């Protein structure tokens, strides 16, 4: 194998599994350490800079970081029970909950206007991110939304018992308070008209606003009691709907279905069921959201395909389903085939349809210069988010279909870079490299400036409001968040994967001290070979091919140092036992470059 | 030393041996020796050997004297019996323990000071008696605990860290052990576990006095240019005559040494020890030529390593003394005081 090029920012970035998995690449271990130190405002600002909505995401994020967490690979089930990641998402909320009241003073302010105007269509997370990144550069931003307040789906789709409106108001406020950002409560009906208004660029962050329809007999006849999930949630959010029938069926297995059923429980639904086509395991909803729904006495019935809505005198009586089972063909594709059992019928008073969302751009004219693909999505560059119209950029759900908030923030950052570079006359396809700051953590002979002893503790559970109380009040937040003590304990579980083991072959005397002390058998000194062979000759075979082997050559015996990054605890024992300082623990702070520093000429 | 103890977390693929233990179960406390000490590598080799041999930790007694090396038993086999004896007196305590309970595996760990200076007499006699044991000397050629004076095994002419040459002749423990009657004698290097681990495994299985001299660089006081016990010197002058390739009834040891001719040695218990020779002229079963070759290598400044001498049919102390098979500490009063009739019969035999 070739020696590893550790000067490439991606190499050690990838070792920080959580940060690498995060669409916005938030420096997770850094803010977790700050939370452990009680520096909540600093932790908040790292998040705010990277993902814009720490308080919102700390409650609602899809958390791609958590399944990536190294703890899920290194925990010993016999010691800690179930292998679980650090509760990264809920620690983020701690930073938001306990930050200083005057944190607004740490936020940037808009400089003098630079004379360029950018329109953002849609007031959701993607547009807000673009607005924030560009407002600090002097752009004049106008955000259009059909709803009376900024926030988009964050505000209309997520029930307030999961995300209090005050949190949305605060974080939207941080962005608007930068200055140079104007909100217009106006639905944009024509892209062509908008383009004539003299904006230098238009960003489309209008989301995926159309809920998929239920197409079964009886849909029309019983229509008064059949609601499209996202529209219904939005009406609940704005107070237009305050009641639901006692018996409610929610169709669909995604997070919207989970929000619908839990909302229904709070609006008078006593017998609320979620019924899904797929199996329970394949449901799109996050496992913790399913858990929360089940915890509120909502059964989830699976392998049932809606067949017909039954009704009497124009009033809904229930839904008939067909029982199916999953069969897999030779290529591993799943087919749902009828089991032949009698069709079950579930009586109900209301049906909530949450079987998917779609993009919808009826307001973008065919001759506006923006091309669409055959799935109705805009043709975009995946790196710049630029459309076929030189002034129009997309992001969030409007770009590549429904995803989630953290993706919207990531798209927003990238689109802002593209808009800035384009408007400054630079090539938007040349993307800025991430910033990297490297600091040795050595304080003394055996002293490190981070807590290097790995914790054996289990993941902490976030305290919940008592169920009876929570179900009574639709505004009462269910999750209460970690208190500082629980947060500290949970923060200690972080393995500090950004503190990297850095090896200097010229200092190594090949004494094996690091090999002997490594608790995870990660380090080996072996004869060099092809990667597929070498992976089998290490102290412990390196079977996880998604994780790199760190190779250093130039040793006196001609062997190479091979470190399997997979299960390293970053405990620093290799560096402590190294007599020559060939190993050092260095913090690699990798930060994505945003629009502010993306241009060569400023 | 380190401030944190070794984390309990371990590689998810860590395997258990036939005894139901992982390699980590054979570890001891975290080492307090200097970072990079060769002794820690030898401890790791002992851990690996015991793991591979499926040894039950409670069936091992580890004994040591005084010195850096003699601290080492704390850092391996944390669940085994241990005895830290008076300086240089480990062999007598081990002899006593072995006489009392012949069923345990005895592992003596000592250093060049403990064995070649203050304990030289004890060293010689325990070899003579053929105690069934593994005697490992972690040999670094200096007194590390007192800041690096030459020990008795430092080569004549080698230079101290301060720059002074050693004017005294060195004691070669390997030659001495062979002369004194040890039946398994090897030498290895702490930086070469591929050679050392199989050697320890074979020594544990040897039913007699097994001695291994392990050159173990002292990173603090004896790892400089001019030292003959530094990592660099030993690597450059390591003259390995053979390595143990296979011990019958055990899983094959895979190693990537260059292939040489095979030598199979039938042992006392019927098992076969397979040696792969790197030096065809070397026959470890021939005491006279072995000693000759060892002297020649040493005269040439080479560090000869491998299994240097093996008597495949050793006799141990218990065999020589014709003791009963039951460990003496397990004999009950009825065995020890068989009664008046037995005494009368015995006395009659003397009349």
């Amino acid at each position: 194998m070739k020696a590893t090029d550790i000067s490439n920012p991606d190499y050690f970035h990838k070792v920080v599994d959580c940060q690498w998995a995060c669409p916005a690449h938030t420096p997770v271990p850094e803010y977790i350490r700050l939370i452990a130190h009680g520096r909540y405002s600093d932790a908040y600002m790292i998040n705010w800079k990277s993902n814009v909505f720490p308080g919102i995401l700390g409650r609602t994020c899809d958390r791609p970081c958590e399944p990536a967490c190294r703890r899920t690979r290194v925990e010993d089930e016999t010691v800690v029970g179930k292998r679980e990641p650090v509760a990264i998402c809920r620690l983020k909320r701690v930073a938001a909950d306990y930050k200083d009241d005057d944190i607004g003073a740490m936020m940037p302010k808009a400089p003098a206007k630079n004379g360029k105007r950018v329109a953002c269509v849609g007031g959701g997370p993607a547009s807000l991110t673009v607005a924030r990144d560009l407002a600090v550069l002097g752009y004049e931003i106008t955000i259009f939304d059909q709803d009376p307040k900024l926030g988009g789906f964050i505000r209309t789709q997520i029930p307030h018992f999961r995300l209090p409106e005050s949190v949305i108001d605060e974080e939207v406020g941080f962005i608007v308070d930068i200055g140079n950002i104007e909100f217009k409560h106006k639905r944009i009906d024509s892209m062509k008209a908008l383009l004539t208004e003299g904006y230098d660029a238009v960003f489309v962050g209008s989301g995926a606003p159309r809920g998929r329809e239920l197409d079964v007999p009886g849909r029309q006849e019983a229509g008064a009691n059949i609601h499209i999930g996202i529209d219904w949630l939005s009406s609940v959010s704005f107070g237009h709907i305050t009641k639901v029938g006692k018996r409610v069926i929610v169709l669909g297995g995604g997070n919207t279905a989970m929000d619908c059923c839990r909302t229904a429980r709070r609006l008078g639904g006593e017998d609320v069921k979620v019924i899904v086509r797929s199996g329970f395991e394949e449901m799109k909803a996050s496992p913790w959201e399913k858990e929360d729904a089940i915890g509120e006495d909502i059964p989830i019935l699976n392998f049932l395909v809606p067949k017909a809505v039954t009704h009497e005198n124009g009033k809904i009586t229930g839904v008939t389903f067909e029982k199916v089972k999953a069969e897999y063909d030779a290529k591993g594709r799943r087919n749902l085939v009828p089991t032949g059992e009698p069709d079950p019928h579930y009586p109900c008073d209301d049906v909530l349809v949450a079987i998917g969302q779609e993009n919808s751009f009826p307001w973008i004219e065919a001759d506006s210069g923006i091309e669409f693909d055959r799935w109705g999505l805009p043709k975009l560059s995946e790196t710049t988010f630029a459309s076929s119209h030189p002034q129009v950029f997309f992001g969030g759900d409007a770009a590549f279909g429904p995803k989630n908030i953290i993706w919207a923030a990531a798209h927003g950052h990238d689109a802002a870079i593209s808009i800035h570079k384009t408007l400054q006359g630079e090539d938007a396809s040349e993307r800025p490299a991430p910033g990297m700051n490297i600091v040795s953590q050595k304080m003394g002979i055996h002293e490190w400036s981070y807590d290097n002893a790995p914790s054996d503790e289990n993941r902490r559970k976030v305290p919940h409001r008592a169920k009876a109380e929570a179900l009574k009040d639709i505004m009462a937040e269910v999750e209460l968040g970690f208190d500082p003590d629980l947060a500290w304990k949970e923060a200690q579980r972080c393995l500090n994967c950004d503190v990297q083991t850095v090896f200097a072959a010229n200092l190594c005397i090949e004494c094996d001290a690091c090999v002997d002390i490594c608790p995870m058998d990660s380090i080996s000194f072996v004869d060099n070979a092809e990667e597929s062979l070498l992976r089998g000759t290490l102290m412990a075979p390196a079977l996880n091919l998604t994780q790199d082997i760190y190779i250093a050559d130039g040793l006196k015996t001609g062997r190479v140092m091979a470190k399997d990054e997979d299960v390293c605890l970053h405990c620093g024992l290799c560096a402590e036992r190294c007599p020559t300082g060939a190993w050092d623990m260095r913090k690699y702070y990798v930060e994505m470059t945003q629009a502010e520093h993306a241009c060569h000429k400023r | 030393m380190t401030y944190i103890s070794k984390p309990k977390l371990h590689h998810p693929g860590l395997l258990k041996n036939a005894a139901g233990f992982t390699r980590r179960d054979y570890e001891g406390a975290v080492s307090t020796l200097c970072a990079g000490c060769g002794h820690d590598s030898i401890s790791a080799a002992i851990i690996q050997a015991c793991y591979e041999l499926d040894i039950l930790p409670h069936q091992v007694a580890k004994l040591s004297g005084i010195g850096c090396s003699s601290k080492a038993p704390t850092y391996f086999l944390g669940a085994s019996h241990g005895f830290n004896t008076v300086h240089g007196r480990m062999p007598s305590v081990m002899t006593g323990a072995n006489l009392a309970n012949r069923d345990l595996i005895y592992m003596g760990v000592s250093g060049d000071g403990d064995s070649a200076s203050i304990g030289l007499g004890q060293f010689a006699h325990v070899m003579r008696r053929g105690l069934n044991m593994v005697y490992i000397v972690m040999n670094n050629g200096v007194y590390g605990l007192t800041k690096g004076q030459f020990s008795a095994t430092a080569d004549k002419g080698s230079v101290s860290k301060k720059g002074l040459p050693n004017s005294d002749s060195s004691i070669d423990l390997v030659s001495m052990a062979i002369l004194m009657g040890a039946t398994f004698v090897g030498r290895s290097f702490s930086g070469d576990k591929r050679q050392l681990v199989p050697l320890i495994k074979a020594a544990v299985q040897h039913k007699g006095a097994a001695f291994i001299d392990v050159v173990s660089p002292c990173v603090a006081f004896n790892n400089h240019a001019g030292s003959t016990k530094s990592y660099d010197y030993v690597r450059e002058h390591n003259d390995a005559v053979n390595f143990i390739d296979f011990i019958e009834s055990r899983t094959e040891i895979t190693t990537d040494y260059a292939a040489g001719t095979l030598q199979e040695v039938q042992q006392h218990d019927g098992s076969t020890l397979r040696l792969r020779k790197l030096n065809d002229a070397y026959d470890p079963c021939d005491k006279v030529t072995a000693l000759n070759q060892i002297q020649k290598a040493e005269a040439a400044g080479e560090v000869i390593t491998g299994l240097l001498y093996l008597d495949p049919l050793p006799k141990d102390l218990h065999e020589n003394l014709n003791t009963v098979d039951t460990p003496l500490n397990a004999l009950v009063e009825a065995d020890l005081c068989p009664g008046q009739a037995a005494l009368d019969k015995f006395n009659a035999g003397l009349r």
Side-chain angles (χ1 to χ4, degrees), chain A residues 322-325 337-343:
Chain A
E322 182 173 51
K323 284 193 99 162
V324 294
K325 59 184 175 186
V337 294
T339 61
E341 290 167 78
D343 293 340

Side-chain angles (χ1 to χ4, degrees), chain B:
Chain B
M1 65 172 288
T2 50
Y3 279 7
I4 65 167
S5 55
K6 191 163 170 173
K8 279 193 207 128
L9 297 172
H10 56 74
H11 194 280
L14 197 64
L15 296 175
K16 286 185 173 163
N17 62 11
F21 298 109
T22 68
R23 195 182 74 249
R24 295 287 303 274
D25 293 328
Y26 291 88
E27 290 177 349
V30 140
S31 172
T32 58
L33 296 168
C34 305
C37 181
H39 298 2
D40 287 332
S41 286
I42 303 171
S43 296
I46 294 171
I47 289 165
Q48 182 70 27
C50 291
Y51 163 74
E52 289 177 12
L53 287 173
D54 308 323
I55 285 173
L56 298 170
H58 70 273
Q59 290 183 340
V60 180
K62 40 178 191 165
L63 297 97
S64 64
I66 296 294
C68 297
S69 59
S70 298
K71 281 159 63 113
T74 309
Y75 317 134
F76 61 82
L77 297 177
S80 297
H81 308 281
F83 199 120
N84 206 182
T85 75
V86 185
H87 207 352
R89 271 59 185 165
M90 177 267 283
S92 339
V93 178
M94 186 152 61
T95 306
N98 187 311
L99 281 173
N101 184 1
R102 63 186 296 174
D103 279 357
L104 297 184
I105 294 166
Y106 288 92
M107 198 170 280
V109 174
S110 180
D112 38 320
D114 196 57
S115 283
S117 293
I118 192 169
L120 190 63
Q122 298 237 338
F123 174 83
H125 289 287
V126 81
M127 298 301 166
R128 272 181 64 231
R129 293 190 183 116
L131 196 69
N132 183 11
M133 63 173 179
V134 182
Y135 193 123
I136 292 174
V137 165
M138 301 181 171
N139 185 353
N140 59 16
V142 288
Y143 298 132
L145 282 180
T146 53
K147 301 205 170 178
Q149 299 82 357
F150 285 119
S151 80
T153 63
D155 289 313
K156 192 172 186 175
S158 67
V159 178
S160 75
K161 195 176 182 183
K162 286 255 165 93
L164 299 174
N166 179 26
S167 53
D168 299 342
S169 288
S170 73
I171 292 174
D172 175 28
L173 290 172
V174 161
S175 302
M176 244 193 106
I178 298 174
L179 285 171
M180 290 300 141
T183 45
F184 180 110
V185 179
R187 179 183 280 139
S188 190
F189 170 43
S190 68
D192 187 2
K193 289 204 195 72
R194 293 183 295 193
Q195 182 191 46
L196 179 56
V197 173
L199 204 54
I200 295 172
K201 286 168 73 177
V204 168
Q205 292 184 297
H206 181 78
K207 300 276 176 269
F211 171 68
I212 307 173
D213 177 35
V214 190
V215 183
S216 172
C218 173
V219 283
F221 298 108
N222 205 7
N223 194 35
H224 48 268
S227 159
T228 57
K229 297 215 169 11
S230 66
Y231 282 106
D232 285 351
Y233 185 90
V234 180
R235 284 215 168 91
E236 276 161 34
H237 296 85
N238 191 342
D239 174 21
V241 291
N242 54 33
F243 64 94
I244 297 167
D245 186 51
F246 183 66
I247 306 166
E248 193 184 76
S249 82
R250 300 288 171 191
T251 47
E252 189 135 13
I253 299 159
T254 52
T255 146
D256 38 12
Y257 269 102
T261 47
L262 277 181
Q263 179 176 11
E264 294 198 336
V265 185
Q266 200 73 30
Q267 300 197 101
H268 190 52
D269 60 357
S271 65
T272 307
L273 191 76
R274 198 200 288 164
L275 282 173
R276 201 168 281 275
K277 288 181 152 193
L278 300 173
N279 177 347
D280 274 339
Y282 198 93
D283 179 5
C285 295
D286 180 343
K287 194 185 233 180
V288 177
T289 55
L291 275 168
N292 194 13
Q293 297 256 13
I294 293 167
Q295 301 309 314
K296 273 190 187 164
E298 278 176 18
E302 296 296 307
V303 183
I304 188 167
T305 61
L307 177 54
L308 301 178
Y309 175 64
L310 174 67
D311 178 350
L313 303 172
K315 276 191 159 186
D316 88 322
L317 181 61
H318 282 280
E319 214 173 331
N320 291 334
L321 295 178
N322 196 24
T323 55
V324 289
D325 289 343
T326 312
L328 299 187
N329 69 348
L331 295 176
V332 294
E333 196 176 347
D335 300 325
L336 297 169
C337 298
Q340 191 62 43
L343 181 64
D344 290 346
K345 194 181 162 197
F346 178 76
N347 281 340
L350 299 173
R351 288 207 167 90

